[in-house]
Amino acid sequence: MALKPWYKVVTPREDLRDNRPLDASEFAVHLDHVRDNRAPADYQEPRRFFERTFLTKNLTELAAGVVRRLSGIKLETSAVYNLTTQFGGGKTHALTLLYHLANGGPEATAWQGVPSILEAASVKNVPHATVAVFVGTEFDSITGRGGNDGTSVRYTPWGEIAFQLGGKDSFAIVAKHDQERTAPSTEVIRKFLPKDKASLILLDELLNYMGRNRKSGLTNQLYSFVQNLSEEARAQERLVVAVSLPSLLDEMTPEDESDFDRFQKLLDRLGKAMIMSVETETSEIIRRRLLDRK
């Protein structure tokens, strides 16, 4: 009996069916673009994103742990997660998944795969959380962000995160720290966090930011901020910090390696390291990206 052609057994994505060239950028998610509502539909639309996402064992564990912590459960959870894999290892994809879950809240229950996350977390619903996103490749501490749109100009990661969490009132708490480029203490961080509400802070591409800001001293201040933020997260019941760092040491400068080692040790001490995928799961990940599900 002759085997059927593969394209009659599975259905490729629409762009493949229409013989349109694939742009590799379509498979690279940018967290700031998702936050700004300018990412490709596969990443911007939560329901579509989850349909294209294969929940690996570790990704499910990460999501379940974050959901538990945002729900106020400290048992078998972590307040800080360190996502460190090779380039293309799924770090930003994992952060985007957490972003959609926190923004979606209870509505996320209807998305593909989320019931399995809730089962692993032993909770009934995804709690809605206020989300702040900082992407090192996108943020410029010389020009700052804001000002032209009627908001205060933010020049530092802590100023931008405070603003995203609570608008002008939260930013006012760290305005002087932002102006003087000095990291706030845990006490100050505690003041700008939303009250009586879960919060999720996602930090991506930190090494790029550190490399561009060594001369200004902001690299050391960022280290102090992440340390203080992590300590405060551990003391809070419904605050989670997730950080992504690259691990391609052969492509780093000696200064990059030094910063990487320093942050890695900090995050390993205060948080939980996560690997997003393993080789045995690669085929299913590719299938979700390239083929339509019927």
Side-chain angles (χ1 to χ4, degrees):
M1 180 178 177
L3 296 176
K4 294 182 179 180
W6 68 270
Y7 53 83
K8 290 187 177 181
V9 179
V10 295
T11 305
R13 286 169 48 128
E14 182 180 358
D15 44 18
L16 292 175
R17 296 197 305 268
D18 294 343
N19 197 29
R20 288 187 279 117
L22 282 175
D23 185 344
S25 65
E26 293 184 16
F27 297 96
V29 59
H30 193 300
L31 194 55
D32 242 357
H33 293 180
V34 175
R35 181 181 66 86
D36 292 340
N37 295 311
R38 54 193 177 98
D42 279 354
Y43 298 111
Q44 193 66 57
E45 300 173 14
R47 188 179 299 274
R48 190 164 172 174
F49 175 85
F50 275 84
E51 288 175 353
R52 296 289 185 188
T53 297
F54 173 60
L55 289 172
T56 65
K57 177 182 177 181
N58 290 341
L59 185 54
T60 301
E61 180 184 344
L62 168 68
V66 170
V67 166
R68 282 175 62 82
R69 189 81 182 195
L70 293 178
S71 300
I73 304 171
K74 285 191 172 183
L75 182 65
E76 296 180 354
T77 68
S78 177
V80 182
Y81 288 92
N82 173 21
L83 315 183
T84 307
T85 62
Q86 71 282 4
F87 178 78
K91 301 181 299 298
T92 305
H93 195 96
L95 294 180
T96 303
L97 181 139
L98 298 180
Y99 175 90
H100 284 312
L101 283 175
N103 270 317
E107 293 181 7
T109 305
W111 302 339
Q112 184 171 317
V114 175
S116 64
I117 293 174
L118 294 176
E119 182 180 0
S122 298
V123 299
K124 293 183 178 180
N125 290 300
V126 178
H128 186 270
T130 301
V131 186
V133 169
F134 179 83
V135 180
T137 54
E138 192 85 357
F139 194 87
D140 193 298
S141 285
I142 294 178
T143 60
R145 179 174 289 169
N148 295 330
D149 57 358
T151 64
S152 299
V153 183
R154 290 89 66 192
Y155 292 102
T156 64
W158 42 95
E160 175 63 10
I161 288 170
F163 179 79
Q164 288 187 35
L165 289 177
K168 63 179 182 179
D169 291 338
S170 290
F171 175 72
I173 296 171
V174 293
K176 190 171 183 179
H177 295 81
D178 187 83
Q179 182 181 10
E180 297 184 2
R181 315 298 197 266
T182 302
S185 66
T186 55
E187 182 179 4
V188 174
I189 291 172
R190 193 177 313 130
K191 291 178 180 178
F192 73 64
L193 293 173
K195 303 298 185 289
D196 302 320
K197 191 173 184 179
S199 300
L200 175 65
I201 299 175
L202 306 174
L203 308 176
D204 200 9
E205 302 290 354
L206 291 189
L207 202 62
N208 179 286
Y209 180 83
M210 289 186 283
R212 292 185 289 111
N213 290 278
R214 289 194 186 99
K215 291 183 179 180
S216 68
L218 275 170
T219 293
N220 288 333
Q221 291 301 314
L222 176 63
Y223 178 88
S224 296
F225 173 64
V226 173
Q227 181 179 20
N228 295 345
L229 179 63
S230 298
E231 293 285 9
E232 183 59 29
R234 285 160 38 120
Q236 295 277 336
E237 290 189 352
R238 302 181 67 196
L239 170 62
V240 175
V241 178
V243 185
S244 112
L245 291 173
S247 62
L248 285 175
L249 293 177
D250 57 334
E251 295 186 7
M252 295 180 184
T253 66
E255 292 83 1
D256 289 337
E257 289 192 37
S258 177
D259 288 333
F260 174 84
D261 288 341
R262 190 182 182 197
F263 269 78
Q264 184 83 325
K265 290 176 181 177
L266 170 69
L267 295 170
D268 285 349
R269 176 170 59 86
L270 298 178
K272 181 175 182 178
M274 296 293 299
I275 299 174
M276 292 301 96
S277 62
V278 296
E279 291 182 2
T280 55
E281 297 168 317
T282 302
S283 61
E284 180 61 20
I285 294 172
I286 293 174
R287 186 180 74 80
R288 291 289 184 99
R289 298 289 185 90
L290 295 180
L291 305 177
D292 280 339
R293 294 178 61 84
K294 297 297 184 182

